[in-house]
Amino acid sequence: MAKPDGIVEPNIVATLEEFLKEEASTLAPATQRKYRSIVELLTASINGYAYQYLGDADSEKYDRLYNEEVTEFCDIFGPEYIVTNLNEFLSYFMVRKVIAGKDMLRAAGTVTKKLVTWLECKGYVTPSASLSIAKTAGDAARLLPKAEDCAQALYEFAQSQFVGVS
């Protein structure tokens, strides 16, 4: 079956699969599973939110292909859209939409930082774009687990306020 007009090759799905395949040779099986989990979450984030930031031409293309072919964002667009959506993934999606422990939150930053470096090496993003988002991803590896600690402390405080209240 031929791809519909407007589908980019390589698309985001193919690019992320290539990243996982190349990284697998250097990772332990448990780490490979963690990378795959983060990439699946990233894909869900991009599919769910990236369309909001498209320009007019890409928005029309997305609407046409999504509505007519039931195609996801990551099936339509190329790897340049990965980097432009990492901030949303790290600062919104992982914090507000994913129930994850500190280890998984830390991994989100680590994996995306590695992904950005890989995308730059492959020529999918410019060094300046890579540098900016790699710093954000590195910060996320450190800060997201702290945010989880803060959320847990807030939850415990709120729970303690209802002791003896009927």
Side-chain angles (χ1 to χ4, degrees):
M1 184 172 143
K3 289 189 183 258
D5 280 344
I7 300 289
V8 175
E9 289 190 22
N11 62 16
I12 293 170
V13 172
T15 302
L16 292 174
E17 279 302 317
E18 181 185 356
F19 167 70
L20 289 172
K21 183 178 176 185
E22 288 186 21
E23 290 299 308
S25 65
T26 64
L27 302 173
T31 306
Q32 288 179 37
R33 286 189 296 277
K34 193 173 291 180
Y35 268 56
R36 180 157 298 281
S37 293
I38 296 300
V39 166
E40 287 171 358
L41 290 169
L42 175 60
T43 301
S45 175
I46 293 171
N47 280 336
Y49 299 97
Y51 72 91
Q52 300 174 91
Y53 308 108
L54 292 173
D56 290 342
D58 281 342
S59 186
E60 287 175 23
K61 174 175 139 177
Y62 173 75
D63 289 343
R64 177 178 54 84
L65 290 169
Y66 184 80
N67 292 326
E68 293 175 14
E69 306 292 337
V70 190
T71 303
E72 296 285 356
F73 188 98
C74 290
D75 296 321
I76 299 170
F77 294 101
E80 67 278 5
Y81 282 98
I82 296 171
V83 171
T84 59
N85 286 282
L86 284 178
N87 195 41
E88 173 98 12
F89 171 67
L90 293 168
S91 66
Y92 175 76
F93 189 81
M94 286 302 296
V95 175
R96 293 191 174 101
K97 298 295 182 179
V98 177
I99 298 171
K102 292 192 304 186
D103 190 46
M104 185 64 90
L105 293 169
R106 185 177 298 106
T110 302
V111 172
T112 54
K113 184 175 182 180
K114 187 84 166 185
L115 173 60
V116 169
T117 302
W118 181 86
L119 288 167
E120 180 186 346
C121 288
K122 294 290 184 177
Y124 292 130
V125 298
T126 65
S128 61
S130 171
L131 182 63
S132 173
I133 198 66
K135 181 181 179 336
T136 299
D139 289 346
R142 184 175 41 79
L143 296 174
L144 285 175
K146 289 181 180 182
E148 177 60 23
D149 287 340
C150 183
Q152 183 62 35
L154 182 59
Y155 171 78
E156 290 170 5
F157 172 75
Q159 289 299 105
S160 72
Q161 300 306 302
F162 294 108
V163 175
V165 176
S166 44

